[in-house]
Amino acid sequence: MRKILIFLCFFFFSISLFSQEFTRKDSLRGELTPLRTCYDVTFYDLFIIIDEKEKMIERSYNEIYFSSVNNFSSMQVDLSENMEILLIQFEGKEVEYTREFDAVYIFFPREIKEGETSKLKIWYSGHPREAVNAPWDGGFSWDKDKNNKPWIGVSCQGLGASVWWPNKDHQSDEPDSMSITVSARKPLQIICNGNLRSETTIWNNYLQDSLNRSEWFVSYPINNYNVTLNIGDYVHFQDQYTSGEDTLDLSYYVLSYNEEKAKTHFEEVKPMLKCFENYFGRYPFWNDGFALVETPYVGMEHQSAIAYGNRYLPGYRGSLDYSGGLEFDYIIVHETG
């Protein structure tokens, strides 16, 4: 009887899946057309200004470095249709573009030759989609911690990264490396993927306020949806994991009032890494380090900046059903895996 029920569930799921009508918008997002296969992304330089009071991304840009696979004079990038494009620049000049749903078609003033390396800069702003039930129905989480301080995160695995920044939003193409620079109102702390390169305080004339600016660098290829930012009243503490003669930097970014709790709870990380290394090999982003970042949503496998929101509880938010009755933190293990 159990086998029959499983078969029926699979049968009706298959009918539902294959009877679903896909729209033009879906096809533009999922299909590898010549406008996308004509170029290969090599590097993203993402520059973001966050206005948490207006729940807005202000006057930001992404610079896309690419190599051409064949000759072309137009290409597609992606950005959610609710986000405004301010300007697209190529070789120091403004270029023409049109939009269809989330697809942005860019028209170059000359033919890009096969094997050529180049870049374009997309300036944009807008109110990014708010998460409905992060991370499953994601977007921006504009939250407050228990001290009523801003606590912001973003998750977009199902939606795609183009809900909040312009890119080639297809999982077949990852940049070889990436720079992420984020600004937010002082004294908020900003945590992104990779290694922190610099922190400065600037005055922003548009927001008429002092901003903290953090520049991060990812030295490995990264999937677009794994790119993230976290903003809040964070404190940072460190540890190390030793493998042979090498040491892996472990960084933990938690809300200020959870520091002591986190120091005890995150002792689970090193034995977990040893277990994973034994069965699957070394942690693959060694030079970028390993980080857990406390988030207002339960978790996400953001590369080298793993989102953690399991409230320092065993299992899944206290339920041991997910951990086979064992009292380890399911989210730490799951998102790291």
Side-chain angles (χ1 to χ4, degrees), residues 198-229:
S198 68
E199 287 183 302
T200 55
T201 300
I202 60 170
W203 176 260
N204 185 279
N205 288 327
Y206 191 79
L207 297 182
Q208 287 293 296
D209 216 335
S210 292
L211 307 183
N212 280 340
R213 174 180 291 174
S214 295
E215 179 190 0
W216 298 76
F217 184 77
V218 180
S219 64
Y220 296 90
I222 184 169
N223 187 288
N224 290 351
Y225 85 81
N226 272 316
V227 176
T228 193
L229 59 80

Side-chain angles (χ1 to χ4, degrees), residues 124-185:
Y124 75 107
S125 65
H127 297 272
R129 183 186 192 273
E130 287 194 47
V132 177
N133 183 26
W136 302 278
D137 193 355
F140 263 74
S141 297
W142 305 95
D143 216 322
K144 299 278 189 178
D145 66 18
K146 73 177 186 180
N147 293 330
N148 204 39
K149 295 181 179 180
W151 189 19
I152 303 162
V154 62
S155 53
C156 58
Q157 182 178 16
L159 297 167
S162 56
V163 296
W164 66 284
W165 59 284
N167 59 81
K168 183 179 179 180
D169 204 0
H170 198 279
Q171 293 193 38
S172 64
D173 197 356
E174 299 179 354
D176 301 327
S177 56
M178 182 170 183
S179 175
I180 309 167
T181 303
V182 179
S183 299
R185 280 187 174 86

Side-chain angles (χ1 to χ4, degrees), residues 241-264:
Y241 169 73
T242 302
S243 174
E245 297 182 356
D246 292 335
T247 55
L248 172 67
D249 290 329
L250 308 178
S251 285
Y252 304 112
Y253 300 92
V254 301
L255 296 178
S256 58
Y257 49 80
N258 285 331
E259 182 176 6
E260 293 308 313
K261 184 190 300 183
K263 283 181 177 178
T264 299

Side-chain angles (χ1 to χ4, degrees), residues 310-323:
N310 203 38
R311 304 171 184 167
Y312 307 99
L313 295 171
Y316 180 86
R317 296 207 162 172
S319 171
L320 302 186
D321 292 342
Y322 288 82
S323 55

